[in-house]
Amino acid sequence: MEDCIFCKIAAGDIPADKVYEDETVVAFRDLNPQAPTHVLVIPRRHIATVNDLSVDDEAVVGRLFTVAREVAAQEGIADAGYRTVMNCNEAGGQAVYHIHLHLLGGRMMHWPPG
Ligand code: 5GP
Ligand code: ZN
């Protein structure tokens, strides 16, 4: 999709510190990390929000989580624990309208989130 920053990262048109990629998903470090490990896992295909998901997207959403699991292991945060979160729309705190699974770890996470 034109003018979508995460589509451009997936296509390699703008740089990102990628930690994993395959034909379905790309994972890269957040530009403004909120934890020692802060990686975003995205589908290559543009999906704007969780509200836009259909049953046809179930496999790709599952892939976001299995890649997050792999990256967590690579980063050495799997056993200590980490947080995965996907924000939806304004009240959910979404800023980039191409779905992305945040993987946050390397420090204690607090609950409830702000
Ligand atoms: P959201 O608020 O939509 O859930 O999260 C968007 C995330 O994308 C933020 O944590 C923000 O720091 C990150 N981000 C925004 N633009 C870029 C970018 O160009 N490159 C990278 N690596 N991260 C970005
Ligand atoms: Zn996009």
Side-chain angles (χ1 to χ4, degrees):
M1 195 189 188
E2 276 176 46
D3 295 332
C4 171
I5 194 138
F6 286 179
C7 281
K8 288 178 181 165
I9 286 174
D13 292 340
I14 63 167
D17 186 0
K18 291 179 183 170
V19 295
Y20 177 87
E21 61 184 319
D22 63 24
E23 68 281 0
T24 310
V25 308
V26 181
F28 53 93
R29 295 192 192 281
D30 197 292
L31 206 55
N32 182 24
Q34 301 301 313
T37 292
H38 188 173
V39 169
L40 305 173
V41 191
I42 68 168
R44 286 192 183 276
R45 189 163 62 79
H46 183 85
I47 302 169
T49 79
V50 171
N51 288 338
D52 300 299
L53 288 170
S54 73
V55 290
D56 294 339
D57 300 317
E58 286 172 359
V60 73
V61 172
R63 186 84 191 126
L64 298 180
F65 277 92
T66 53
V67 167
R69 178 202 65 195
E70 285 301 310
V71 174
Q74 278 174 32
E75 294 283 312
I77 60 172
D79 289 343
Y82 53 87
R83 183 165 293 169
T84 50
V85 62
M86 196 178 283
N87 300 322
C88 183
N89 276 345
E90 189 180 356
Q94 186 173 6
V96 177
Y97 282 76
H98 178 134
I99 61 165
H100 45 282
L101 186 64
H102 293 259
L103 167 66
L104 296 142
R107 66 168 172 82
M108 284 301 292
M109 295 294 150
H110 305 293
W111 196 264

